[in-house]
Short mmCIF file of all heavy atoms in Angstrom, two decimals:
data_model
loop_
_atom_site.label_atom_id
_atom_site.label_comp_id
_atom_site.label_asym_id
_atom_site.label_seq_id
_atom_site.Cartn_x
_atom_site.Cartn_y
_atom_site.Cartn_z
N MET G 233 -57.73 -11.65 19.12
CA MET G 233 -56.67 -12.63 19.00
C MET G 233 -56.83 -13.36 17.67
O MET G 233 -57.91 -13.81 17.32
CB MET G 233 -56.76 -13.64 20.15
CG MET G 233 -55.78 -14.75 20.01
SD MET G 233 -55.92 -16.11 21.18
CE MET G 233 -56.16 -15.30 22.72
N LEU G 234 -55.75 -13.45 16.93
CA LEU G 234 -55.74 -14.14 15.64
C LEU G 234 -55.02 -15.47 15.81
O LEU G 234 -53.92 -15.53 16.36
CB LEU G 234 -55.02 -13.28 14.60
CG LEU G 234 -55.05 -13.75 13.17
CD1 LEU G 234 -56.48 -13.78 12.64
CD2 LEU G 234 -54.22 -12.83 12.30
N ILE G 235 -55.65 -16.54 15.36
CA ILE G 235 -55.07 -17.87 15.44
C ILE G 235 -54.90 -18.40 14.02
O ILE G 235 -55.82 -18.31 13.20
CB ILE G 235 -55.96 -18.83 16.25
CG1 ILE G 235 -56.08 -18.32 17.68
CG2 ILE G 235 -55.41 -20.25 16.22
CD1 ILE G 235 -57.08 -19.07 18.52
N GLY G 236 -53.73 -18.94 13.72
CA GLY G 236 -53.44 -19.48 12.40
C GLY G 236 -53.36 -21.00 12.43
O GLY G 236 -53.01 -21.60 13.44
N TYR G 237 -53.69 -21.61 11.30
CA TYR G 237 -53.64 -23.07 11.16
C TYR G 237 -53.05 -23.40 9.80
O TYR G 237 -53.55 -22.96 8.78
CB TYR G 237 -55.04 -23.66 11.31
CG TYR G 237 -55.11 -25.15 11.07
CD1 TYR G 237 -54.57 -26.04 11.98
CD2 TYR G 237 -55.70 -25.66 9.93
CE1 TYR G 237 -54.62 -27.41 11.77
CE2 TYR G 237 -55.77 -27.02 9.70
CZ TYR G 237 -55.23 -27.89 10.62
OH TYR G 237 -55.29 -29.24 10.41
N ALA G 238 -51.97 -24.16 9.78
CA ALA G 238 -51.32 -24.58 8.55
C ALA G 238 -51.30 -26.10 8.51
O ALA G 238 -51.05 -26.76 9.51
CB ALA G 238 -49.90 -24.03 8.47
N ARG G 239 -51.58 -26.66 7.32
CA ARG G 239 -51.65 -28.13 7.23
C ARG G 239 -51.00 -28.62 5.95
O ARG G 239 -51.19 -28.04 4.88
CB ARG G 239 -53.12 -28.56 7.23
CG ARG G 239 -53.28 -30.07 7.18
CD ARG G 239 -54.76 -30.44 7.32
NE ARG G 239 -54.94 -31.84 7.60
CZ ARG G 239 -54.95 -32.80 6.66
NH1 ARG G 239 -54.81 -32.48 5.41
NH2 ARG G 239 -55.12 -34.05 7.00
N CYS G 240 -50.25 -29.68 6.05
CA CYS G 240 -49.70 -30.39 4.89
C CYS G 240 -50.47 -31.69 4.75
O CYS G 240 -50.61 -32.44 5.70
CB CYS G 240 -48.23 -30.73 5.09
SG CYS G 240 -47.15 -29.33 4.96
N SER G 241 -50.96 -31.95 3.54
CA SER G 241 -51.69 -33.19 3.33
C SER G 241 -50.90 -34.18 2.49
O SER G 241 -51.33 -35.31 2.31
CB SER G 241 -53.04 -32.91 2.69
OG SER G 241 -52.88 -32.23 1.47
N THR G 242 -49.76 -33.75 1.96
CA THR G 242 -48.89 -34.66 1.22
C THR G 242 -47.46 -34.47 1.68
O THR G 242 -47.10 -33.42 2.22
CB THR G 242 -48.95 -34.42 -0.31
OG1 THR G 242 -48.39 -33.14 -0.59
CG2 THR G 242 -50.37 -34.51 -0.84
N ALA G 243 -46.64 -35.46 1.46
CA ALA G 243 -45.24 -35.40 1.89
C ALA G 243 -44.46 -34.32 1.14
O ALA G 243 -43.47 -33.81 1.64
CB ALA G 243 -44.58 -36.76 1.70
N GLY G 244 -44.91 -33.94 -0.04
CA GLY G 244 -44.20 -32.95 -0.85
C GLY G 244 -44.49 -31.51 -0.45
O GLY G 244 -43.83 -30.60 -0.93
N GLN G 245 -45.45 -31.27 0.41
CA GLN G 245 -45.80 -29.91 0.80
C GLN G 245 -44.93 -29.44 1.95
O GLN G 245 -44.39 -30.23 2.71
CB GLN G 245 -47.27 -29.84 1.20
CG GLN G 245 -48.21 -30.03 0.04
CD GLN G 245 -49.66 -29.99 0.46
OE1 GLN G 245 -50.01 -30.34 1.58
NE2 GLN G 245 -50.50 -29.55 -0.44
N ASP G 246 -44.82 -28.13 2.08
CA ASP G 246 -43.98 -27.51 3.09
C ASP G 246 -44.81 -26.49 3.87
O ASP G 246 -45.55 -25.71 3.28
CB ASP G 246 -42.80 -26.83 2.40
CG ASP G 246 -41.78 -26.26 3.35
OD1 ASP G 246 -41.93 -26.44 4.57
OD2 ASP G 246 -40.84 -25.63 2.86
N LEU G 247 -44.66 -26.47 5.16
CA LEU G 247 -45.43 -25.55 6.00
C LEU G 247 -44.87 -24.13 6.00
O LEU G 247 -45.54 -23.20 6.40
CB LEU G 247 -45.46 -26.07 7.45
CG LEU G 247 -46.27 -27.32 7.69
CD1 LEU G 247 -46.05 -27.82 9.12
CD2 LEU G 247 -47.74 -27.05 7.47
N ARG G 248 -43.64 -23.95 5.55
CA ARG G 248 -43.01 -22.63 5.63
C ARG G 248 -43.81 -21.54 4.94
O ARG G 248 -44.00 -20.46 5.49
CB ARG G 248 -41.59 -22.66 5.06
CG ARG G 248 -40.58 -23.15 6.06
CD ARG G 248 -39.19 -23.11 5.48
NE ARG G 248 -39.14 -24.20 4.50
CZ ARG G 248 -38.13 -24.44 3.70
NH1 ARG G 248 -37.09 -23.66 3.71
NH2 ARG G 248 -38.15 -25.46 2.88
N ALA G 249 -44.26 -21.78 3.72
CA ALA G 249 -45.00 -20.76 2.97
C ALA G 249 -46.31 -20.42 3.68
O ALA G 249 -46.70 -19.25 3.75
CB ALA G 249 -45.28 -21.24 1.55
N GLN G 250 -46.98 -21.43 4.21
CA GLN G 250 -48.23 -21.18 4.92
C GLN G 250 -47.99 -20.38 6.20
O GLN G 250 -48.73 -19.44 6.50
CB GLN G 250 -48.92 -22.50 5.26
CG GLN G 250 -49.40 -23.25 4.03
CD GLN G 250 -50.05 -24.56 4.40
OE1 GLN G 250 -50.88 -24.62 5.27
NE2 GLN G 250 -49.65 -25.63 3.71
N ARG G 251 -46.94 -20.74 6.94
CA ARG G 251 -46.62 -20.01 8.17
C ARG G 251 -46.25 -18.55 7.86
O ARG G 251 -46.67 -17.64 8.57
CB ARG G 251 -45.48 -20.68 8.93
CG ARG G 251 -45.86 -22.01 9.53
CD ARG G 251 -44.69 -22.65 10.27
NE ARG G 251 -44.30 -21.86 11.41
CZ ARG G 251 -44.84 -21.94 12.62
NH1 ARG G 251 -45.80 -22.81 12.84
NH2 ARG G 251 -44.43 -21.18 13.61
N THR G 252 -45.50 -18.34 6.78
CA THR G 252 -45.11 -16.98 6.39
C THR G 252 -46.34 -16.15 6.06
O THR G 252 -46.46 -14.99 6.49
CB THR G 252 -44.15 -17.02 5.18
OG1 THR G 252 -42.98 -17.74 5.56
CG2 THR G 252 -43.79 -15.63 4.71
N ALA G 253 -47.27 -16.72 5.32
CA ALA G 253 -48.50 -16.00 4.96
C ALA G 253 -49.33 -15.68 6.20
O ALA G 253 -49.85 -14.57 6.34
CB ALA G 253 -49.33 -16.83 3.98
N LEU G 254 -49.42 -16.62 7.13
CA LEU G 254 -50.18 -16.38 8.35
C LEU G 254 -49.55 -15.26 9.19
O LEU G 254 -50.25 -14.43 9.76
CB LEU G 254 -50.29 -17.66 9.17
CG LEU G 254 -51.21 -18.73 8.57
CD1 LEU G 254 -51.00 -20.07 9.27
CD2 LEU G 254 -52.66 -18.30 8.66
N LYS G 255 -48.22 -15.21 9.22
CA LYS G 255 -47.53 -14.14 9.94
C LYS G 255 -47.82 -12.79 9.29
O LYS G 255 -48.00 -11.78 9.98
CB LYS G 255 -46.03 -14.39 9.98
CG LYS G 255 -45.64 -15.53 10.90
CD LYS G 255 -44.14 -15.74 10.85
CE LYS G 255 -43.76 -17.02 11.54
NZ LYS G 255 -42.31 -17.28 11.46
N ARG G 256 -47.86 -12.76 7.96
CA ARG G 256 -48.17 -11.50 7.26
C ARG G 256 -49.58 -11.01 7.59
O ARG G 256 -49.85 -9.82 7.57
CB ARG G 256 -48.02 -11.69 5.75
CG ARG G 256 -46.59 -11.75 5.31
CD ARG G 256 -46.47 -11.79 3.81
NE ARG G 256 -45.09 -11.99 3.44
CZ ARG G 256 -44.68 -12.73 2.43
NH1 ARG G 256 -45.55 -13.32 1.66
NH2 ARG G 256 -43.40 -12.86 2.18
N PHE G 257 -50.49 -11.94 7.85
CA PHE G 257 -51.85 -11.57 8.24
C PHE G 257 -51.93 -11.14 9.70
O PHE G 257 -52.97 -10.70 10.16
CB PHE G 257 -52.82 -12.72 7.99
CG PHE G 257 -53.22 -12.88 6.55
CD1 PHE G 257 -52.87 -14.02 5.86
CD2 PHE G 257 -53.93 -11.90 5.88
CE1 PHE G 257 -53.21 -14.19 4.53
CE2 PHE G 257 -54.28 -12.05 4.56
CZ PHE G 257 -53.93 -13.19 3.88
N GLY G 258 -50.85 -11.34 10.45
CA GLY G 258 -50.82 -10.89 11.83
C GLY G 258 -50.83 -11.97 12.89
O GLY G 258 -50.89 -11.66 14.08
N ALA G 259 -50.79 -13.22 12.50
CA ALA G 259 -50.76 -14.31 13.49
C ALA G 259 -49.37 -14.40 14.11
O ALA G 259 -48.36 -14.36 13.41
CB ALA G 259 -51.11 -15.64 12.83
N ARG G 260 -49.33 -14.48 15.43
CA ARG G 260 -48.05 -14.63 16.13
C ARG G 260 -47.59 -16.08 16.05
O ARG G 260 -48.41 -17.00 15.92
CB ARG G 260 -48.21 -14.25 17.60
CG ARG G 260 -48.55 -12.81 17.81
CD ARG G 260 -48.59 -12.42 19.28
NE ARG G 260 -48.71 -13.54 20.20
CZ ARG G 260 -49.33 -13.49 21.35
NH1 ARG G 260 -49.92 -12.38 21.73
NH2 ARG G 260 -49.38 -14.54 22.15
N ASP G 261 -46.27 -16.28 16.15
CA ASP G 261 -45.70 -17.64 16.10
C ASP G 261 -46.35 -18.59 17.10
O ASP G 261 -46.62 -19.74 16.78
CB ASP G 261 -44.20 -17.62 16.37
CG ASP G 261 -43.38 -17.39 15.11
OD1 ASP G 261 -43.86 -17.72 14.02
OD2 ASP G 261 -42.26 -16.87 15.24
N ASP G 262 -46.59 -18.11 18.29
CA ASP G 262 -47.15 -18.97 19.33
C ASP G 262 -48.64 -19.25 19.15
O ASP G 262 -49.24 -20.00 19.91
CB ASP G 262 -46.87 -18.42 20.72
CG ASP G 262 -47.52 -17.07 20.98
OD1 ASP G 262 -47.82 -16.35 20.01
OD2 ASP G 262 -47.72 -16.73 22.16
N ARG G 263 -49.24 -18.65 18.11
CA ARG G 263 -50.66 -18.87 17.80
C ARG G 263 -50.87 -19.52 16.44
O ARG G 263 -51.96 -19.53 15.91
CB ARG G 263 -51.43 -17.54 17.84
CG ARG G 263 -51.45 -16.89 19.18
CD ARG G 263 -52.33 -17.65 20.09
NE ARG G 263 -52.41 -16.98 21.37
CZ ARG G 263 -52.86 -17.54 22.45
NH1 ARG G 263 -53.27 -18.77 22.43
NH2 ARG G 263 -52.88 -16.88 23.58
N ILE G 264 -49.78 -20.05 15.86
CA ILE G 264 -49.88 -20.78 14.59
C ILE G 264 -49.74 -22.26 14.89
O ILE G 264 -48.72 -22.71 15.42
CB ILE G 264 -48.80 -20.33 13.58
CG1 ILE G 264 -49.00 -18.86 13.22
CG2 ILE G 264 -48.88 -21.20 12.32
CD1 ILE G 264 -47.92 -18.30 12.30
N TYR G 265 -50.78 -23.00 14.58
CA TYR G 265 -50.79 -24.44 14.83
C TYR G 265 -50.64 -25.17 13.51
O TYR G 265 -51.13 -24.71 12.47
CB TYR G 265 -52.10 -24.83 15.52
CG TYR G 265 -52.23 -24.13 16.84
CD1 TYR G 265 -52.88 -22.90 16.95
CD2 TYR G 265 -51.65 -24.66 17.99
CE1 TYR G 265 -52.97 -22.24 18.15
CE2 TYR G 265 -51.74 -24.01 19.20
CZ TYR G 265 -52.40 -22.80 19.28
OH TYR G 265 -52.48 -22.14 20.47
N THR G 266 -49.91 -26.26 13.54
CA THR G 266 -49.63 -26.99 12.31
C THR G 266 -50.06 -28.45 12.41
O THR G 266 -50.18 -29.00 13.51
CB THR G 266 -48.13 -26.94 11.97
OG1 THR G 266 -47.39 -27.52 13.03
CG2 THR G 266 -47.66 -25.51 11.74
N ASP G 267 -50.26 -29.04 11.25
CA ASP G 267 -50.69 -30.43 11.17
C ASP G 267 -50.11 -31.03 9.90
O ASP G 267 -50.16 -30.44 8.83
CB ASP G 267 -52.21 -30.49 11.13
CG ASP G 267 -52.76 -31.89 11.04
OD1 ASP G 267 -52.06 -32.85 11.43
OD2 ASP G 267 -53.90 -32.04 10.60
N LYS G 268 -49.52 -32.19 10.03
CA LYS G 268 -49.08 -32.95 8.86
C LYS G 268 -50.03 -34.13 8.76
O LYS G 268 -49.90 -35.09 9.50
CB LYS G 268 -47.64 -33.39 9.00
CG LYS G 268 -46.69 -32.22 8.94
CD LYS G 268 -45.27 -32.67 8.88
CE LYS G 268 -44.38 -31.45 8.74
NZ LYS G 268 -42.99 -31.79 8.63
N GLY G 269 -50.99 -34.02 7.86
CA GLY G 269 -52.09 -34.97 7.85
C GLY G 269 -52.01 -36.06 6.82
O GLY G 269 -53.04 -36.50 6.33
N TYR G 270 -50.81 -36.50 6.44
CA TYR G 270 -50.81 -37.59 5.49
C TYR G 270 -51.07 -38.91 6.19
O TYR G 270 -50.72 -39.11 7.33
CB TYR G 270 -49.57 -37.68 4.60
CG TYR G 270 -48.31 -37.02 5.07
CD1 TYR G 270 -47.35 -37.74 5.76
CD2 TYR G 270 -48.06 -35.69 4.79
CE1 TYR G 270 -46.17 -37.14 6.17
CE2 TYR G 270 -46.88 -35.09 5.20
CZ TYR G 270 -45.95 -35.83 5.89
OH TYR G 270 -44.80 -35.23 6.29
N THR G 271 -51.71 -39.78 5.47
CA THR G 271 -52.09 -41.07 6.04
C THR G 271 -51.00 -42.11 5.79
O THR G 271 -50.06 -41.87 5.04
CB THR G 271 -53.39 -41.58 5.38
OG1 THR G 271 -53.13 -41.82 4.00
CG2 THR G 271 -54.51 -40.57 5.53
N VAL G 272 -51.16 -43.27 6.37
CA VAL G 272 -50.21 -44.37 6.14
C VAL G 272 -50.19 -44.73 4.67
O VAL G 272 -49.13 -44.96 4.09
CB VAL G 272 -50.57 -45.59 7.02
CG1 VAL G 272 -49.69 -46.77 6.68
CG2 VAL G 272 -50.47 -45.23 8.48
N ALA G 273 -51.35 -44.75 4.03
CA ALA G 273 -51.40 -45.07 2.59
C ALA G 273 -50.63 -44.03 1.79
O ALA G 273 -49.88 -44.37 0.87
CB ALA G 273 -52.85 -45.13 2.12
N ASP G 274 -50.77 -42.74 2.13
CA ASP G 274 -50.02 -41.70 1.45
C ASP G 274 -48.53 -41.87 1.66
O ASP G 274 -47.74 -41.75 0.73
CB ASP G 274 -50.42 -40.30 1.97
CG ASP G 274 -51.81 -39.89 1.56
OD1 ASP G 274 -52.34 -40.45 0.58
OD2 ASP G 274 -52.38 -39.03 2.24
N ALA G 275 -48.13 -42.16 2.87
CA ALA G 275 -46.71 -42.32 3.18
C ALA G 275 -46.11 -43.47 2.35
O ALA G 275 -45.01 -43.36 1.83
CB ALA G 275 -46.51 -42.56 4.67
N HIS G 276 -46.84 -44.54 2.22
CA HIS G 276 -46.36 -45.67 1.44
C HIS G 276 -46.24 -45.29 -0.02
O HIS G 276 -45.24 -45.60 -0.67
CB HIS G 276 -47.32 -46.88 1.60
CG HIS G 276 -46.89 -48.05 0.77
ND1 HIS G 276 -47.41 -48.30 -0.47
CD2 HIS G 276 -45.96 -49.01 1.00
CE1 HIS G 276 -46.83 -49.38 -0.98
NE2 HIS G 276 -45.96 -49.83 -0.09
N THR G 277 -47.22 -44.59 -0.55
CA THR G 277 -47.19 -44.16 -1.96
C THR G 277 -45.97 -43.27 -2.22
O THR G 277 -45.27 -43.48 -3.19
CB THR G 277 -48.47 -43.36 -2.30
OG1 THR G 277 -49.59 -44.22 -2.09
CG2 THR G 277 -48.46 -42.90 -3.75
N TYR G 278 -45.69 -42.31 -1.34
CA TYR G 278 -44.57 -41.42 -1.55
C TYR G 278 -43.23 -42.13 -1.36
O TYR G 278 -42.26 -41.84 -2.03
CB TYR G 278 -44.68 -40.19 -0.66
CG TYR G 278 -45.85 -39.34 -1.08
CD1 TYR G 278 -47.00 -39.27 -0.29
CD2 TYR G 278 -45.84 -38.66 -2.29
CE1 TYR G 278 -48.09 -38.52 -0.71
CE2 TYR G 278 -46.92 -37.91 -2.70
CZ TYR G 278 -48.04 -37.86 -1.90
OH TYR G 278 -49.13 -37.12 -2.31
N ALA G 279 -43.18 -43.08 -0.47
CA ALA G 279 -41.94 -43.85 -0.28
C ALA G 279 -41.63 -44.67 -1.51
O ALA G 279 -40.47 -44.78 -1.91
CB ALA G 279 -42.08 -44.75 0.95
N VAL G 280 -42.65 -45.23 -2.14
CA VAL G 280 -42.45 -46.04 -3.35
C VAL G 280 -41.99 -45.17 -4.50
O VAL G 280 -41.14 -45.57 -5.29
CB VAL G 280 -43.75 -46.81 -3.70
CG1 VAL G 280 -43.63 -47.47 -5.06
CG2 VAL G 280 -44.05 -47.82 -2.62
N ARG G 281 -42.52 -43.95 -4.62
CA ARG G 281 -42.16 -43.05 -5.73
C ARG G 281 -40.74 -42.52 -5.59
O ARG G 281 -40.13 -42.14 -6.57
CB ARG G 281 -43.12 -41.87 -5.78
CG ARG G 281 -44.48 -42.22 -6.28
CD ARG G 281 -45.31 -41.00 -6.41
NE ARG G 281 -46.69 -41.34 -6.65
CZ ARG G 281 -47.68 -40.50 -6.54
NH1 ARG G 281 -47.46 -39.25 -6.20
NH2 ARG G 281 -48.92 -40.87 -6.79
N SER G 282 -40.24 -42.42 -4.39
CA SER G 282 -38.92 -41.79 -4.15
C SER G 282 -37.78 -42.62 -4.68
O SER G 282 -37.79 -43.75 -4.89
CB SER G 282 -38.71 -41.56 -2.66
OG SER G 282 -39.68 -40.65 -2.20
#
């Protein structure tokens, strides 16, 4: 069984490319887990820049 993990650490990143790559390696959709790990400090920084 192959399990995939995709993570975004900034608001500007997108999980699509990571999910696509994991699928190419053979991970099934129901075995790809995702995480958006930006912190409150990061969210504030990106909101101010926008």
